[in-house]
């Protein structure tokens, strides 16, 4: 079964759009603990948390089962506004999102999309200062949460 799942992930990965470059950080915390830490890091950095989605609770409310998984949706207008001013279609990608989940082997991870890749195809240069700042902020916030 694991071989089948590994093959499926490889096949899906090969058909995923090039702009779906994901960055993953491992944590020794549980999913709720790492999300609590991420939420604290985000608010501590002055960003706004818009939503925290518990996917497992949603599945259970529909009578379904799944491993722990949560998504934090957050942003900072000082970074998001310049992106949307450069290309309003960036509003489809913003605010930022970080997913925390447990894999079948019990590992816990934080995953987010690389901002430069996320904005690929828009009129936003990958080396724009706000893109670099988003990339740095996501890296620092997820590293701090994962500690």
């Amino acid at each position: 079964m694991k071989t089948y799942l590994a093959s499926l992930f490889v096949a899906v990965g090969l058909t995923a759009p090039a702009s779906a470059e994901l960055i993953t950080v491992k944590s020794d915390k549980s999913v709720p603990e790492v999300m609590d830490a991420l939420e604290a890091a985000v608010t501590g950095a002055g960003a706004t948390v818009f939503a925290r989605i518990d996917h497992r609770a949603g599945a259970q409310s529909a009578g379904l089962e799944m491993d722990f998984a949560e998504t934090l949706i957050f942003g900072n207008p000082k970074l998001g506004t310049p992106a949307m001013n450069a290309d309003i279609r960036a509003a489809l990608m913003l605010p930022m999102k970080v997913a925390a989940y447990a894999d079948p082997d019990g590992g816990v991870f934080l995953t987010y999309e690389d901002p430069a890749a996320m904005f690929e195809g828009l009129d936003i240069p990958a080396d724009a200062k706000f893109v670099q700042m988003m990339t740095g902020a996501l890296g620092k916030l997820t590293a701090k949460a994962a500690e």
Side-chain angles (χ1 to χ4, degrees):
M1 180 67 164
K2 284 187 179 181
T3 303
Y4 172 75
L5 289 175
S7 298
L8 178 64
F9 289 144
V10 170
V12 170
L14 293 175
T15 60
S19 64
E21 186 175 326
L22 302 178
I23 298 170
T24 299
V25 178
K26 185 170 180 8
S27 178
D28 292 327
K29 298 176 181 174
S30 69
V31 170
E33 290 171 336
V34 77
M35 283 306 269
D36 287 345
L38 180 61
E39 189 168 356
V42 166
T43 58
T48 301
V49 172
F50 297 107
R52 180 171 169 174
I53 302 163
D54 183 339
H55 300 290
R56 183 174 192 221
Q60 289 174 335
S61 73
L64 303 170
E65 294 294 323
M66 70 177 289
D67 287 331
F68 285 102
E70 295 187 29
T71 300
L72 193 69
I73 301 172
F74 61 93
N76 181 335
K78 291 180 181 177
L79 298 178
T81 302
M84 290 182 281
N85 281 337
D87 190 324
I88 192 58
R89 296 174 294 172
L92 293 169
M93 291 87 177
L94 298 172
M96 305 305 294
K97 293 166 265 330
V98 175
Y101 54 92
D103 74 3
D105 296 324
V108 173
F109 301 91
L110 292 165
T111 298
Y112 60 92
E113 191 170 359
D114 175 48
M118 181 173 61
F119 295 136
E120 198 171 276
L122 302 183
D123 293 328
I124 297 176
D127 63 350
K129 183 173 179 159
F130 57 83
V131 173
Q132 294 172 5
M133 291 174 70
M134 286 177 184
T135 302
L138 283 165
K140 289 176 187 173
L141 293 169
T142 54
K144 184 173 183 175
E147 293 178 339

